[in-house]
């Protein structure tokens, strides 16, 4: 199995209800591809003073599990998935970082 771990940092404040909807939209679009084995999403847990650290601090982390690299490629070739990311990036600008990897022990 391959995990796609996606770190999303919204560059402007995003209301909790909008963030919940973002996560729901990403989950729906990715599940609609028929490619997912697993889906998980969690909000970042802030630590006092972290805003002083010159680092990429995610707002949320998502992890999508797929069978293999070909399935991962199929997932991200989906027009519905692209549309969700583009729509939300327009509403609330964000940066993303990710890693494709085998399950961490």
């Amino acid at each position: 199995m391959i995990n796609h771990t996606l770190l999303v940092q919204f560059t402007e404040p995003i209301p909790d209800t909008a963030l919940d909807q973002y996560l729901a939209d990403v989950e729906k679009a990715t599940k609609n591809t028929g490619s997912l084995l697993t889906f998980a999403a969690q909000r970042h847990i802030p630590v006092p003073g972290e805003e002083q650290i010159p680092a990429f601090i995610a707002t949320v982390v998502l992890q999508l599990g797929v069978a293999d690299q070909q399935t991962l490629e199929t997932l991200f070739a989906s027009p519905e998935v692209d549309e969700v990311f583009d729509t939300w990036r327009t509403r609330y600008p964000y940066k993303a970082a990710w890693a494709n990897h085998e399950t961490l022990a």
Side-chain angles (χ1 to χ4, degrees), residues 2 10 16 21-23 27 30-31 35 37-38 46 49 55 58 63 69-70 73 77-78 80 88 94:
I2 295 176
F10 286 91
D16 286 341
Q21 188 61 56
Y22 167 79
L23 295 173
E27 181 174 13
T30 56
K31 284 185 174 179
S35 301
L37 297 175
T38 62
Q63 192 167 75
Q69 185 168 347
Q70 182 178 354
E73 292 169 8
S78 164
E80 184 178 358
W88 278 97
Y94 65 84

Side-chain angles (χ1 to χ4, degrees), residues 34-53:
S35 301
L36 286 187
L37 297 175
T38 62
F39 178 92
Q42 292 292 325
R43 294 168 187 255
H44 168 68
I45 300 169
V47 175
E50 71 182 13
E51 64 279 355
Q52 303 302 317
I53 300 168

Side-chain angles (χ1 to χ4, degrees), residues 1-83:
M1 184 165 98
I2 295 176
N3 289 296
H4 174 79
T5 299
L6 176 63
L7 303 168
V8 178
Q9 178 192 63
F10 286 91
T11 57
E12 301 292 329
I14 180 171
D16 286 341
T17 54
L19 186 55
D20 290 342
Q21 188 61 56
Y22 167 79
L23 295 173
D25 289 353
V26 171
E27 181 174 13
K28 180 181 176 190
T30 56
K31 284 185 174 179
N32 282 349
T33 67
S35 301
L36 286 187
L37 297 175
T38 62
F39 178 92
Q42 292 292 325
R43 294 168 187 255
H44 168 68
I45 300 169
V47 175
E50 71 182 13
E51 64 279 355
Q52 303 302 317
I53 300 168
F56 183 98
I57 300 173
T59 308
V60 293
V61 60
L62 298 96
Q63 192 167 75
L64 314 174
V66 296
D68 52 34
Q69 185 168 347
Q70 182 178 354
T71 308
L72 182 64
E73 292 169 8
T74 299
L75 176 71
F76 284 97
S78 164
E80 184 178 358
V81 171
D82 281 344
E83 182 179 336

